[in-house]
Amino acid sequence: MAMCSSFCPHLPNHFGGRPAYLFPTKPLSFSFKAFSSQASNASSKDELQTRVGFLGLGIMGSPMAQNLIKSGCDVTVWNRTKSKCDPLISLGAKYKPSPQEVAASCDVTFAMLADPESAVDVALGKHGAANGMSSGKGYVDVSTVDGATSKLISGHIKSTGASFLEAPVSGSKKPAEDGQLIFLTAGDKSLYEIAAPLLDVMGKSRFYLGDVGNGAAMKLVVNMIMGSMMASFSEGLLLTEKIGLDPKVLVEVVSQGAISAPMYSVKGPSMIQSLYPTAFPLKHQQKDLRLALGLAESVSQSTPIAAAANELYKVAKSHGLSDEDFSAVIEALKPKLQQ
């Protein structure tokens, strides 16, 4: 069991039905050390710990949940493949056999699922989290889904009396491990304020964007840009090599200029070696491009560059690269895959 440490946030009186330290009502920006020093002056019976659930322990969910555990939070986990829970259980997490049971036993439940279908199933399916929600609880979906899916989940969660916050993340495996994610949140402002200390354990910044659907839309726009950037970068690397220049030098040049982005300097060297250690699976990038194109179509916005990039990722998927890092899209531009 994860023991309570001075770094783990507590819930206010109105949330979860248990007395606890009251969070400020404005978005928080503080160190947990400062927070705990205030809380330590409260009586012991007022220091009941926030019970945090985490559903989905894949490439992103697992390090996010680990950071919560390491901060001293009381974490209960679930994953379709039980074996993925074992490393977290060894760190002190509790385990429940269904999303419903996790939600029923926790104050705030996070969900990090691979796609809209999985997000809906885990939240609303048989033994889904919604069946364990009730007044005073909160559900924070950090999956990347479309706005319609987010609104569907929100409606069912809120019908139980619980609060809902969408909070898709910008960042991949390494930022998740380092607690450097960016949260794009929307939904119940009260839940945002309550969950803020937990988000701060897992991320470096957070944005509150208003109504449910806005966070999902912003994430799709961000990933649409990222997917297009990687496709263009791939073309540049291959063209550089084809004309007899050193692609390693291209990476250095790009990293020092106005178009510098960490993605290029981090992934460029391995792409040159045709190595694609998975930080963000290619299949997820293509999924996000597909959803972003649907979003653009819904408002009659032309996105020809993203559409072309999406086709390239589809080619890469068709050649068995779905589970490789999204930088493997470069393989779709090589002659052997274009024949």
Short mmCIF file of all heavy atoms in Angstrom, two decimals, residues 27-29 64 142 167-171 175 178-185 192 195-209:
data_model
loop_
_atom_site.label_atom_id
_atom_site.label_comp_id
_atom_site.label_asym_id
_atom_site.label_seq_id
_atom_site.Cartn_x
_atom_site.Cartn_y
_atom_site.Cartn_z
N PRO A 27 -6.38 28.54 -9.70
CA PRO A 27 -5.40 27.57 -10.18
C PRO A 27 -4.11 27.68 -9.38
O PRO A 27 -3.62 28.78 -9.10
CB PRO A 27 -5.19 27.98 -11.65
CG PRO A 27 -6.51 28.60 -12.03
CD PRO A 27 -6.97 29.33 -10.79
N LEU A 28 -3.56 26.53 -9.03
CA LEU A 28 -2.45 26.50 -8.09
C LEU A 28 -1.11 26.54 -8.79
O LEU A 28 -0.93 26.00 -9.87
CB LEU A 28 -2.53 25.22 -7.25
CG LEU A 28 -3.83 25.06 -6.46
CD1 LEU A 28 -3.84 23.71 -5.77
CD2 LEU A 28 -3.98 26.16 -5.44
N SER A 29 -0.15 27.17 -8.16
CA SER A 29 1.23 27.13 -8.61
C SER A 29 2.10 27.19 -7.36
O SER A 29 2.39 28.25 -6.85
CB SER A 29 1.54 28.30 -9.54
OG SER A 29 2.89 28.29 -9.92
N MET A 64 2.95 7.84 -15.52
CA MET A 64 2.15 8.86 -14.85
C MET A 64 1.68 8.36 -13.49
O MET A 64 1.78 9.08 -12.48
CB MET A 64 0.95 9.24 -15.72
CG MET A 64 1.33 9.96 -17.01
SD MET A 64 -0.06 10.16 -18.16
CE MET A 64 -1.04 11.39 -17.30
N VAL A 142 -7.50 11.63 -19.38
CA VAL A 142 -6.30 12.21 -19.97
C VAL A 142 -5.98 11.57 -21.32
O VAL A 142 -4.90 11.78 -21.88
CB VAL A 142 -5.09 12.11 -19.01
CG1 VAL A 142 -5.33 12.96 -17.78
CG2 VAL A 142 -4.82 10.67 -18.61
N ALA A 167 -8.50 16.06 -19.88
CA ALA A 167 -7.16 16.62 -19.68
C ALA A 167 -6.14 15.89 -20.53
O ALA A 167 -5.17 15.33 -20.02
CB ALA A 167 -6.77 16.56 -18.21
N PRO A 168 -6.33 15.86 -21.87
CA PRO A 168 -5.33 15.20 -22.71
C PRO A 168 -3.97 15.85 -22.54
O PRO A 168 -3.88 17.03 -22.22
CB PRO A 168 -5.89 15.40 -24.13
CG PRO A 168 -6.78 16.59 -24.02
CD PRO A 168 -7.39 16.51 -22.67
N VAL A 169 -2.93 15.06 -22.76
CA VAL A 169 -1.58 15.55 -22.49
C VAL A 169 -0.81 15.78 -23.77
O VAL A 169 -0.99 15.07 -24.77
CB VAL A 169 -0.79 14.56 -21.60
CG1 VAL A 169 -1.52 14.35 -20.27
CG2 VAL A 169 -0.57 13.22 -22.31
N SER A 170 0.04 16.78 -23.75
CA SER A 170 1.04 16.98 -24.79
C SER A 170 2.36 16.49 -24.23
O SER A 170 2.81 16.96 -23.17
CB SER A 170 1.13 18.46 -25.18
OG SER A 170 2.09 18.65 -26.21
N GLY A 171 2.96 15.53 -24.91
CA GLY A 171 4.17 14.91 -24.40
C GLY A 171 4.11 13.42 -24.61
O GLY A 171 3.03 12.84 -24.74
N PRO A 175 8.73 12.62 -21.30
CA PRO A 175 8.10 13.62 -20.45
C PRO A 175 7.16 13.02 -19.41
O PRO A 175 7.06 13.54 -18.30
CB PRO A 175 7.33 14.49 -21.45
CG PRO A 175 8.07 14.34 -22.73
CD PRO A 175 8.53 12.92 -22.75
N ASP A 178 9.36 11.83 -16.65
CA ASP A 178 10.01 12.94 -15.93
C ASP A 178 9.02 13.90 -15.27
O ASP A 178 9.44 14.89 -14.66
CB ASP A 178 10.90 13.73 -16.88
CG ASP A 178 12.07 12.91 -17.40
OD1 ASP A 178 12.38 11.87 -16.79
OD2 ASP A 178 12.67 13.30 -18.43
N GLY A 179 7.71 13.64 -15.40
CA GLY A 179 6.71 14.55 -14.85
C GLY A 179 6.70 15.89 -15.56
O GLY A 179 6.49 16.94 -14.94
N GLN A 180 6.90 15.87 -16.88
CA GLN A 180 7.03 17.10 -17.67
C GLN A 180 5.93 17.22 -18.73
O GLN A 180 6.12 17.88 -19.76
CB GLN A 180 8.40 17.14 -18.34
CG GLN A 180 9.55 17.28 -17.36
CD GLN A 180 9.56 18.63 -16.67
OE1 GLN A 180 9.67 19.67 -17.30
NE2 GLN A 180 9.40 18.63 -15.36
N LEU A 181 4.79 16.61 -18.50
CA LEU A 181 3.70 16.68 -19.45
C LEU A 181 3.00 18.04 -19.41
O LEU A 181 3.13 18.79 -18.44
CB LEU A 181 2.68 15.57 -19.15
CG LEU A 181 3.19 14.14 -19.32
CD1 LEU A 181 2.18 13.14 -18.76
CD2 LEU A 181 3.50 13.84 -20.78
N ILE A 182 2.26 18.34 -20.46
CA ILE A 182 1.43 19.55 -20.53
C ILE A 182 -0.02 19.09 -20.61
O ILE A 182 -0.38 18.32 -21.49
CB ILE A 182 1.78 20.39 -21.77
CG1 ILE A 182 3.25 20.80 -21.73
CG2 ILE A 182 0.88 21.62 -21.85
CD1 ILE A 182 3.75 21.38 -23.05
N PHE A 183 -0.85 19.55 -19.68
CA PHE A 183 -2.25 19.14 -19.63
C PHE A 183 -3.14 20.20 -20.26
O PHE A 183 -3.05 21.39 -19.91
CB PHE A 183 -2.68 18.89 -18.17
CG PHE A 183 -2.08 17.65 -17.57
CD1 PHE A 183 -0.91 17.71 -16.85
CD2 PHE A 183 -2.69 16.42 -17.75
CE1 PHE A 183 -0.34 16.56 -16.31
CE2 PHE A 183 -2.14 15.27 -17.21
CZ PHE A 183 -0.96 15.33 -16.48
N LEU A 184 -4.00 19.76 -21.16
CA LEU A 184 -4.93 20.65 -21.86
C LEU A 184 -6.34 20.32 -21.35
O LEU A 184 -6.99 19.42 -21.86
CB LEU A 184 -4.82 20.43 -23.36
CG LEU A 184 -3.39 20.55 -23.92
CD1 LEU A 184 -3.35 20.14 -25.38
CD2 LEU A 184 -2.85 21.97 -23.74
N THR A 185 -6.77 21.03 -20.34
CA THR A 185 -7.97 20.62 -19.61
C THR A 185 -9.20 21.45 -19.99
O THR A 185 -9.12 22.58 -20.42
CB THR A 185 -7.75 20.74 -18.09
OG1 THR A 185 -7.80 22.13 -17.71
CG2 THR A 185 -6.41 20.15 -17.67
N TYR A 192 -11.04 20.81 -11.81
CA TYR A 192 -9.72 21.27 -12.26
C TYR A 192 -8.91 21.81 -11.08
O TYR A 192 -7.72 21.49 -10.93
CB TYR A 192 -9.88 22.37 -13.31
CG TYR A 192 -8.60 23.10 -13.65
CD1 TYR A 192 -7.59 22.48 -14.38
CD2 TYR A 192 -8.39 24.41 -13.20
CE1 TYR A 192 -6.41 23.15 -14.68
CE2 TYR A 192 -7.21 25.09 -13.51
CZ TYR A 192 -6.23 24.45 -14.24
OH TYR A 192 -5.06 25.12 -14.53
N ALA A 195 -7.96 18.87 -8.80
CA ALA A 195 -6.99 17.95 -9.39
C ALA A 195 -5.65 18.61 -9.69
O ALA A 195 -4.68 17.91 -9.98
CB ALA A 195 -7.56 17.36 -10.68
N ALA A 196 -5.58 19.93 -9.61
CA ALA A 196 -4.37 20.66 -9.99
C ALA A 196 -3.10 20.13 -9.32
O ALA A 196 -2.08 19.94 -10.00
CB ALA A 196 -4.54 22.15 -9.71
N PRO A 197 -3.09 19.87 -8.01
CA PRO A 197 -1.86 19.34 -7.40
C PRO A 197 -1.45 17.99 -7.97
O PRO A 197 -0.27 17.69 -8.07
CB PRO A 197 -2.22 19.24 -5.91
CG PRO A 197 -3.33 20.19 -5.71
CD PRO A 197 -4.13 20.13 -6.98
N LEU A 198 -2.44 17.18 -8.34
CA LEU A 198 -2.13 15.88 -8.95
C LEU A 198 -1.58 16.06 -10.36
O LEU A 198 -0.63 15.38 -10.76
CB LEU A 198 -3.39 15.01 -8.98
CG LEU A 198 -4.01 14.70 -7.61
CD1 LEU A 198 -5.37 14.04 -7.78
CD2 LEU A 198 -3.09 13.83 -6.78
N LEU A 199 -2.15 16.98 -11.11
CA LEU A 199 -1.63 17.29 -12.44
C LEU A 199 -0.20 17.81 -12.36
O LEU A 199 0.64 17.50 -13.20
CB LEU A 199 -2.53 18.32 -13.14
CG LEU A 199 -3.99 17.92 -13.37
CD1 LEU A 199 -4.74 19.08 -14.03
CD2 LEU A 199 -4.10 16.67 -14.22
N ASP A 200 0.07 18.58 -11.32
CA ASP A 200 1.40 19.15 -11.15
C ASP A 200 2.45 18.10 -10.80
O ASP A 200 3.65 18.30 -11.05
CB ASP A 200 1.38 20.24 -10.09
CG ASP A 200 0.64 21.50 -10.55
OD1 ASP A 200 0.39 21.62 -11.76
OD2 ASP A 200 0.28 22.32 -9.69
N VAL A 201 2.02 16.99 -10.21
CA VAL A 201 2.94 15.87 -9.97
C VAL A 201 3.36 15.26 -11.30
O VAL A 201 4.51 14.87 -11.49
CB VAL A 201 2.27 14.80 -9.08
CG1 VAL A 201 3.10 13.50 -9.06
CG2 VAL A 201 2.12 15.31 -7.65
N MET A 202 2.42 15.19 -12.23
CA MET A 202 2.65 14.49 -13.50
C MET A 202 3.12 15.40 -14.63
O MET A 202 3.58 14.91 -15.66
CB MET A 202 1.38 13.77 -13.93
CG MET A 202 0.90 12.71 -12.93
SD MET A 202 -0.60 11.85 -13.47
CE MET A 202 -1.85 13.13 -13.14
N GLY A 203 2.97 16.71 -14.46
CA GLY A 203 3.27 17.61 -15.57
C GLY A 203 3.98 18.88 -15.15
O GLY A 203 4.10 19.19 -13.96
N LYS A 204 4.41 19.63 -16.16
CA LYS A 204 5.11 20.89 -15.91
C LYS A 204 4.20 22.10 -16.10
O LYS A 204 4.51 23.19 -15.63
CB LYS A 204 6.32 21.02 -16.83
CG LYS A 204 6.00 21.12 -18.32
CD LYS A 204 7.26 21.26 -19.14
CE LYS A 204 6.96 21.36 -20.64
NZ LYS A 204 8.18 21.50 -21.44
N SER A 205 3.08 21.92 -16.81
CA SER A 205 2.15 23.03 -16.99
C SER A 205 0.77 22.49 -17.30
O SER A 205 0.61 21.33 -17.69
CB SER A 205 2.63 23.98 -18.11
OG SER A 205 2.71 23.30 -19.34
N ARG A 206 -0.23 23.36 -17.13
CA ARG A 206 -1.62 22.97 -17.38
C ARG A 206 -2.39 24.21 -17.85
O ARG A 206 -2.14 25.32 -17.42
CB ARG A 206 -2.26 22.39 -16.12
CG ARG A 206 -1.99 23.19 -14.85
CD ARG A 206 -2.49 22.46 -13.60
NE ARG A 206 -1.88 22.98 -12.40
CZ ARG A 206 -2.27 24.06 -11.75
NH1 ARG A 206 -3.31 24.75 -12.20
NH2 ARG A 206 -1.64 24.46 -10.67
N PHE A 207 -3.32 23.96 -18.75
CA PHE A 207 -4.14 25.02 -19.30
C PHE A 207 -5.61 24.65 -19.10
O PHE A 207 -6.01 23.53 -19.41
CB PHE A 207 -3.86 25.21 -20.80
CG PHE A 207 -2.47 25.67 -21.11
CD1 PHE A 207 -1.43 24.75 -21.23
CD2 PHE A 207 -2.19 27.01 -21.27
CE1 PHE A 207 -0.14 25.16 -21.51
CE2 PHE A 207 -0.90 27.43 -21.56
CZ PHE A 207 0.13 26.50 -21.68
N TYR A 208 -6.39 25.59 -18.61
CA TYR A 208 -7.84 25.38 -18.51
C TYR A 208 -8.50 26.09 -19.68
O TYR A 208 -8.36 27.30 -19.84
CB TYR A 208 -8.39 25.89 -17.17
CG TYR A 208 -9.87 25.65 -17.06
CD1 TYR A 208 -10.36 24.38 -16.75
CD2 TYR A 208 -10.79 26.66 -17.32
CE1 TYR A 208 -11.72 24.11 -16.68
CE2 TYR A 208 -12.16 26.42 -17.26
CZ TYR A 208 -12.61 25.14 -16.94
OH TYR A 208 -13.96 24.88 -16.90
N LEU A 209 -9.24 25.34 -20.51
CA LEU A 209 -9.73 25.85 -21.78
C LEU A 209 -11.25 25.99 -21.86
O LEU A 209 -11.79 26.27 -22.94
CB LEU A 209 -9.24 24.95 -22.92
CG LEU A 209 -7.72 24.80 -23.00
CD1 LEU A 209 -7.32 23.72 -23.99
CD2 LEU A 209 -7.06 26.13 -23.36
#
